[in-house]
Each structure stands twice: as C-alpha cells, then as structure tokens.
Amino acid sequence: MRLLHTSDWHVGRSFHGASTLANLEAVLGELARIVTAERVDVVVVSGDIFDTGTPSAAAYAVLGNVLRDLHRTGVRIVLTSGNHDSAQRLGFLAEFTANAGVYVCTDPEALDVPIELADEYGPVLIYGIPYLEPALLRYRFPDADLRGQEKTMRFAMERIRADIATRPPARTVIAAHCFASGASGGDGERDITAGGIESVPLDVFDGVDYAALGHIHGRATLREHVRYSGAPLHYSFSEVNKPRGGWIVDLDGAGLSEVRWVDLPIPRPLAVLRGTLEEILADPAREGVREHWVAAILTDPVRPLDPMRRLQERFPFALTLEHAPETAIVDTSTSYATRVRERGDGEIIAGFLELVRDGVGPDAEERALIDDLIRAEQRRERQE
C-alpha cells in the first residue's frame, strides 16, 4: 500500500496580510497529479486543514475543490483536525463522507477506531488522532492522567496499541498533530502549549509502522518511521529555501518498506534582502527576485523616508520591512528625554506608527485625528 503524507494546509491563512487561497489551491491541485503518477492509495493530512475554527466560504470552496479532484482519482483520503481547526465544523458530515472514502477524524473518543483498509498483503489500519488538548479531554476521561501533551499522547497511543493487540496481525499507521521531541519549530507554527501542552518523546510512537505527524511547517525525519511533512506553502520568511512537498510511504508485507520525498511546486518563492535601501533598489542582481515575496532588512544608519513604498515600486510583492542598522549613530551629548522633548507630540506619534507598521506612517486622515486628540488633551490640561 502506498500513502502520501501531507499536513498543515492552513486553508484561509494569509501571509503578512496577503491572501494565499489562489496559490494554495494551485499547489494542492497538484496532489491529484501526484496521486495518479505515483499510484497512491491513501492521502493522509495530519491536522490544521483550515487556519481558523471559523473558515470563510472561500476557504470551504478551496477545500471542497481539492477533495473533489482527489476523490476523482479513486484515492482514499484521511484528514485529522489540528489545533487551528474546529473539530465540530471540520467533522460535520464525517459519517457520510466516509462512505465516499474521505475519512475525517475529529472525535477523540474514536481515536482507537481505525480506518480498515487492505492490500494484497492483508489489512492496513490507519488511526487518525485529532488534536488533543488535555484541558478539554479530562472531562471525557476523568480516570486518566492527562496532564500535559506527553501524558495525553501516551494515553492515546496506549488505547491504539490495545486495539491493535485484539486484532489479527496488521500493518499500522497513525496520523497525529503535535510537537514531537527533536522537531525544530519556527515562527510559521503558532504555539500549542496552552493547557500545559509540551513536546512528545519519540518512544510514544513505538509499536506502529509509520507515524505521520503534523504541526511543524518544515519537513523532518525524527526516526525512520516518525516524520513531519511540513506545510504545502511557505507561511513564514524563516522558511526561505525550505522545500515544500510530502512523503511517499510504501508498506509491504513486513511493514514499512520505503519513504521518499516528492516536491510540490512553489508558486511564489521567498526572498530576504539585506542592505541599505539604495543598495537593494539599485542592485541589478536582485532582478531575479522581483516577483518573489520579499522581506527587506535595511541597514541604513538612519531609517529612510517612506521605504516600503519605494521597495514596492521595484518589488511589488514586498511584504515586510525591518530597520537594522549595522552601525548606530548615538548622540551621547544629550539624554533620551531631552531628544524627545525636542520633538512635537505629533512627530513622536508619527514616528511610532512608522516603526510598528513597517515604515508606513500616518496618512492624512490619521494625522488629522492625531492633531485633534493632541489639541483636546492640551485643552484638558489647561482646564486643570
């Protein structure tokens, strides 16, 4: 049996304010081609199908289109809920979609009930483990020790191993959404440590042929049978140059036979440009990243005027800007308090807005509002 392991689709997620829906639909549309070309039997998506618990209509439409195209290939599909998903919304109609070979695993009480498939070597059991938050599970399992992610995942895997022990010999796969020991996170993955959740030791995943994990956005091999596939798109500039794709997992009669990587297309690569604003704008060698998503790190000693607008004139998909001067000019002759007093209230507020909004200062309407607020405060002070 051949599986394609993916995860963290995050349908509906924006990238520094830019929509990713069209790019994501194009990338996920390649899955049907890969499934056909590679003769995949099962596609596994290990959590964070959506980016939010309340997906938009457009996000539902993208997911529906992708699942429709995959279903037409004849492949079976297994999806689990992640920490970004609403298990209830994602699992709506799961009982009916299973009849079409689309298995949506969102019920923690059914995590030890496998999807039973078979090939010429016999049965293959796939256990879909939804995202497990200890604080929300304790009332379901009052006799279990569910303090922290390690104990919660151990509890889940003990139930799964107990179910495996009651069955004839079979090859087994689990799909789970968690942070496993040895995985390297990044700012593309949002924290899931609320409620005392921490990393899961790798021995938790002993006793199965393959553990298809989700949550980390970069691919990772923790053990031969324990892997992260990463996300299909880049969702952070920290992921620059990291490949996007999934794992092709082959099971033979003895268990795990081979795992190999398959690439997904990258519709708009990332580029991080460092230098002074004039260097970045004038360097002809940077013409090759004109259509990339761009993050700029400006090393000018003094923050340039209106830098984001100027960057976007050359790099229309510039999204973020950081001012990181290589040498800071510090006026030691006057104190910080003195230097601030030399600037008006409006200048200080405008400088703050430019700092926190990546070089974008107040527009005319905002300046008028700031002036009104300053005048109102001055009148209040005079009355006192």
Side-chain angles (χ1 to χ4, degrees):
M1 184 168 291
R2 176 165 289 175
L3 291 76
L4 173 59
H5 166 200
T6 76
S7 73
D8 294 272
W9 289 2
H10 286 280
V11 181
R13 185 167 186 167
S14 62
F15 183 53
H16 295 282
S19 173
T20 64
L21 273 177
N23 284 347
L24 182 62
E25 185 167 16
V27 170
L28 295 179
E30 285 292 299
L31 293 179
R33 181 192 62 78
I34 292 171
V35 163
T36 300
E38 296 282 354
R39 298 186 178 183
V40 172
D41 300 296
V42 185
V43 173
V44 177
V45 192
S46 301
D48 282 353
I49 312 303
F50 290 113
D51 189 58
T52 174
T54 55
S56 66
Y60 272 111
V62 167
L63 179 63
N65 292 340
V66 172
L67 294 180
R68 177 202 62 209
D69 292 345
L70 284 172
H71 181 262
R72 286 174 176 171
T73 70
V75 73
R76 269 75 63 88
I77 307 165
V78 178
L79 305 98
T80 66
S81 52
N83 58 297
H84 282 251
D85 296 307
S86 164
Q88 291 77 16
R89 287 186 174 90
L90 183 63
F92 178 61
L93 296 181
E95 182 178 354
F96 298 97
T97 61
N99 294 328
V102 180
Y103 305 93
V104 186
C105 305
T106 62
D107 182 2
E109 295 189 32
L111 60 84
D112 56 352
V113 179
I115 299 157
E116 300 183 48
L117 306 175
D119 60 12
E120 65 269 31
Y121 297 108
V124 174
L125 308 178
I126 301 179
Y127 294 86
I129 304 175
Y131 168 63
L132 303 175
E133 185 170 339
L136 299 180
L137 289 181
R138 289 173 191 145
Y139 81 95
R140 293 176 180 258
F141 308 103
D143 297 329
D145 183 359
L146 301 178
R147 292 173 297 174
Q149 189 177 28
E150 176 183 349
K151 291 183 177 180
T152 301
M153 284 299 298
R154 285 194 186 279
F155 168 74
M157 288 301 298
E158 286 168 3
R159 289 186 54 165
I160 288 171
R161 282 189 284 265
D163 181 74
I164 293 171
T166 66
R167 298 173 179 270
R171 290 148 297 155
T172 54
V173 174
I174 66 110
H177 195 85
C178 64
F179 188 87
S181 298
S184 177
D187 59 10
E189 300 92 35
R190 300 177 197 168
D191 183 51
I192 61 170
T193 58
I197 302 176
E198 298 173 352
S199 62
V200 177
L202 295 183
D203 68 281
V204 169
F205 305 107
D206 289 347
V208 296
D209 291 292
Y210 187 76
L213 302 185
H215 180 57
I216 301 304
H217 287 186
R219 71 177 181 185
T221 301
L222 306 184
R223 287 183 179 171
E224 185 62 22
H225 77 295
V226 182
R227 298 177 186 242
Y228 285 97
S229 64
L233 283 185
H234 291 118
Y235 289 121
S236 166
F237 281 105
S238 67
E239 299 165 6
V240 64
N241 297 326
K242 290 185 178 180
R244 303 288 91 172
W247 295 109
I248 297 287
V249 181
D250 285 338
L251 302 174
D252 61 14
L256 184 63
S257 171
E258 181 185 13
V259 184
R260 56 188 171 85
W261 182 254
V262 59
D263 284 312
L264 283 170
I266 298 175
R268 194 177 301 285
L270 309 182
V272 178
L273 307 182
R274 186 182 185 93
T276 67
L277 179 60
E278 296 305 324
E279 289 171 346
I280 291 174
L281 294 178
D283 187 356
R286 288 173 167 141
E287 188 61 24
V289 301
R290 180 179 178 83
E291 299 299 316
H292 289 33
W293 294 123
V294 168
I297 302 173
L298 302 185
T299 59
D300 302 75
V302 178
R303 189 181 185 92
L305 181 66
D306 204 7
M308 181 58 82
R309 179 188 62 79
R310 296 179 63 193
L311 277 169
Q312 289 177 339
E313 288 177 352
R314 183 178 182 193
F315 306 101
F317 299 100
L319 293 180
T320 71
L321 183 151
E322 177 187 352
H323 184 217
E326 293 179 347
T327 57
I329 300 174
V330 180
D331 180 5
T332 59
S333 63
T334 58
S335 68
Y336 171 78
T338 300
R339 296 197 300 272
V340 170
R341 282 199 298 270
E342 292 172 353
R343 302 175 65 190
D345 291 338
E347 291 180 285
I348 294 172
I349 295 171
F352 172 77
L353 290 174
E354 183 179 350
L355 176 65
V356 301
R357 299 197 307 199
D358 295 327
V360 180
D363 58 25
E365 184 178 349
E366 290 171 331
R367 286 187 180 277
L369 177 60
I370 291 168
D371 291 341
D372 289 343
L373 291 171
I374 291 172
R375 285 194 293 268
E377 179 63 15
Q378 290 171 342
R379 287 195 299 269
R380 187 188 66 78
E381 290 177 350
R382 287 195 297 268
Q383 291 171 356
E384 291 180 349

